[in-house]
Amino acid sequence: MLFKIPDGTTVISTNDLRTHKDMTDVSIPPTVEKIEDFAFSNLKNLRKVTIPASVKEIGACAFKGCD
């Protein structure tokens, strides 16, 4: 299941993704500048994340526990 982060988002946090455990693909818009610590952690079904050049910071363990 493709999940699109809403346009205009500048920071992605764990709270943004908590209810989307079934996502397999994520599309991040070019407005995002930061992915916080543990943002995508433990999303077991996640297979593909498209990260634009606008992202300047990826927090610690942002993808921890992803297969």
Side-chain angles (χ1 to χ4, degrees):
M1 175 169 135
L2 173 63
F3 179 75
K4 290 187 176 189
I5 303 292
D7 289 334
T9 301
T10 57
V11 176
I12 299 172
S13 71
T14 304
N15 293 334
D16 298 331
L17 305 172
R18 183 174 298 174
T19 61
H20 302 284
K21 299 285 186 189
D22 58 341
M23 72 174 88
T24 58
D25 301 291
V26 176
S27 177
I28 299 174
T31 54
V32 172
E33 298 175 353
K34 179 180 180 181
I35 298 173
E36 291 188 342
D37 297 349
F38 299 98
F40 292 93
S41 65
N42 298 315
L43 295 176
K44 301 290 184 191
N45 296 319
L46 189 60
R47 300 288 177 255
K48 180 180 177 184
V49 179
T50 303
I51 302 174
S54 63
V55 174
K56 304 297 182 208
E57 183 178 343
I58 298 176
C61 303
F63 296 94
K64 182 180 181 177
C66 295
D67 294 337

